[in-house]
Amino acid sequence: MKLKRVLKWSASVILLALAVWFFIAYWMSTNECDRKTAAHNPMKAILHCEYGGPEVLKVEEVEKPVPNDNQLLVKVRAASVNPLDLTIRGPLLLRPLFGLRKPKDTRLGVDYAGTVEAVGKNVTQFKPGDEVFGGRDGALAEYVCVLADRAVVLKPANMTFEQAAAVPVAAITALQGLRDKGKIQAGQKVLVNGASGGVGTFAVQIAKSFGTEVTGVCSTRNVDLVRSIGADHVIDYTKEDFTKTDQRYDLIFDLVGNHSFSERRRILNPSGICVMAGIGGAGWHDGMAMRLAGELNAYVASRFVSQKFVAYIATLTKADLTILADLMQSGKVIPVIDRTYKLSEVSAALGYLEEGHARGKVVITVEQNNKT
Ligand SMILES: NC(=O)c1ccc[n+]([C@@H]2O[C@H](COP(=O)([O-])OP(=O)(O)OC[C@H]3O[C@@H](n4cnc5c(N)ncnc54)[C@H](OP(=O)(O)O)[C@@H]3O)[C@@H](O)[C@H]2O)c1
């Protein structure tokens, strides 16, 4: 009886301590917007001081970054938005990481392309005037500082800044999913579900560059687009269910996850692989929680069958950006750009992306301010 009382009392004390800790941590959760002072050498950047939808994004003046000895200062000419940028909504599960009450990191964007304005003294691979593209946090701004040995490479001369800015996150997701997780091989039959979006339009072209026979799944309005980027076959999901045909595939690159484990297994060859890369277009839509649960179930269930169901998070690397630059240089991959917005219109750009029906990439052009 005494032990029971001690245990009950201890549990209450722990719960109370946790509640107090949470309350203090919640109210102490601040960000740079609360401490903002006038910038000495200002540049424009997109900030989100609060959690919320695209309407919370603001163009603000912040301090222009100064490169250290190992960095480049890049004048951003174009950037692009990704589903990842919608974490501005502050999903509850991620808040312990991102900031409980307010986002710790108020800057937005990853993909950029631009011109090198200055280099640190240890940088030998780049020089001022070089046109580059790559990925780094806070890319939705007039300038970014990037470490020369990270994910930044020279832009192919035949690509515009807008095209190059469309590449990093989406194309690397497609490349790593098909090559590293899907073990893609020439001659294979590959199906891309979600072929018309930011990642899908790269996946179709990259799969073709590996010498495979590609089937793209999209809706009626995107059939011509998906065919035009090289798909050998196109399935209109509004008219036909791709899991109910007689076709068998060696690799399914699935960006939607709207079919069950057994439905997809039925159309995979015995040693086939299903790469579960996403759960549909950007934003949170009806049925996504079920899709997420379905993907978890498929991951576990596939341990007991010959086909593999794998998931992953893409990583930006210089090596893979170099491969993509070569594919663009040779004309094997041409970024598909749906809409272009100005930096001051990022809220509208992200709002459009969030609808989940982008056709290729949504790109931001950064107006040139001649003051440096
Ligand atoms: N694993 C990773 O590291 C990683 C990295 C980046 C992205 N992702 C994920 O990959 C997914 C796609 O990203 P994204 O950038 O390509 O998004 P996106 O550009 O917003 O994708 C939009 C496309 O999805 C298509 N779509 C929506 N529902 C569909 C369905 N039922 N069947 C076929 N297509 C459908 C839309 O076509 P319609 O308009 O015709 O419906 C539209 O063209 C997202 O879930 C994203 O979170 C994962």
Side-chain angles (χ1 to χ4, degrees), residues 83 173 194 196-199 219 221-222 237 258 277 279-280 282 312-314 356-358:
T173 302
S196 53
V199 179
S219 66
R221 71 188 184 115
N222 293 322
Y237 71 77
N258 56 342
I279 51 168
Y312 70 109
I313 302 279
H357 295 287

Side-chain angles (χ1 to χ4, degrees), residues 104-185:
K104 284 184 207 162
D105 186 359
T106 56
R107 298 284 302 276
L108 194 70
V110 175
D111 297 340
Y112 68 86
T115 312
V116 176
E117 191 169 279
V119 298
K121 70 175 166 58
N122 297 336
V123 176
T124 52
Q125 313 99 297
F126 300 97
K127 57 181 185 325
D130 281 349
E131 296 182 344
V132 296
F133 73 106
R136 92 137 284 151
D137 290 347
L140 285 165
E142 287 181 321
Y143 292 89
V144 282
C145 269
V146 295
L147 281 164
D149 61 355
R150 295 285 169 81
V152 53
V153 298
L154 290 174
K155 173 180 83 62
N158 60 338
M159 290 288 123
T160 62
F161 287 110
E162 287 76 16
Q163 286 173 315
V167 170
V169 169
I172 280 193
T173 302
L175 177 65
Q176 293 178 353
L178 292 164
R179 181 196 60 194
D180 305 342
K181 297 291 161 184
K183 316 281 180 218
I184 194 168
Q185 299 288 330

Side-chain angles (χ1 to χ4, degrees), residues 81-84 169-170 173-174 176 192-201 217-222 225 235 237-238 242 254-256 258-259 276-283 285 288 291 311-315 352-362:
V81 289
N82 291 289
L84 172 76
V169 169
T173 302
Q176 293 178 353
V192 178
N193 187 23
S196 53
V199 179
T201 47
V217 182
C218 62
S219 66
T220 314
R221 71 188 184 115
N222 293 322
L225 165 72
I235 296 176
Y237 71 77
T238 66
F242 70 84
D254 198 346
L255 292 157
V256 187
N258 56 342
H259 287 85
M276 302 179 292
I279 51 168
H285 309 286
M288 275 191 165
R291 286 186 197 170
Y312 70 109
I313 302 279
T315 321
Y352 173 64
L353 184 77
E354 192 171 33
E355 289 170 16
H357 295 287
R359 309 171 77 204
K361 288 287 299 176
V362 177

